[in-house]
Amino acid sequence: MAIAVVDGWQHRGVGIALLAALTERARSAGFRRFQMSMLRDNVAARALAKKLGPPTQPATVIAAAGNVVELSYSIGRRRLTAAP
């Protein structure tokens, strides 16, 4: 699955809202971890990744090749919000 937000809607909380809904659905289905891939130079995706996972287990890099980075994080019980 991919999440993309068109340019005109970026930096308005749409990406985090989509990811929050997906996380809640995955949690209710019994999933415990997510993996995500992003371009290394995608500043917005990197900022979003910093908000993922419990504070004691932040998202971790599990692979990097060229300009692509793959992260893994626990979806735990923490609810994602658009608030900083």
Side-chain angles (χ1 to χ4, degrees):
M1 174 178 295
I3 295 176
V5 178
V6 296
D7 292 346
W9 283 92
Q10 291 179 5
H11 308 289
R12 295 183 184 196
V14 175
I16 194 86
L18 290 169
L19 193 55
L22 180 61
T23 299
E24 289 305 310
R25 179 72 174 177
R27 184 181 292 119
S28 68
F31 286 84
R32 296 182 179 216
R33 297 196 69 75
F34 268 170
Q35 287 184 217
M36 65 188 291
S37 298
M38 68 181 73
L39 294 175
R40 189 182 304 267
D41 59 355
N42 186 335
V43 176
R46 288 193 350 241
L48 175 60
K50 287 182 180 181
K51 297 178 180 182
L52 303 174
T56 57
Q57 297 175 333
T60 57
V61 175
I62 58 173
N67 197 32
V68 177
V69 175
E70 189 168 338
L71 302 172
S72 175
Y73 66 95
S74 169
I75 61 174
R77 295 180 186 205
R78 182 174 156 204
R79 303 241 186 265
L80 297 175
T81 64

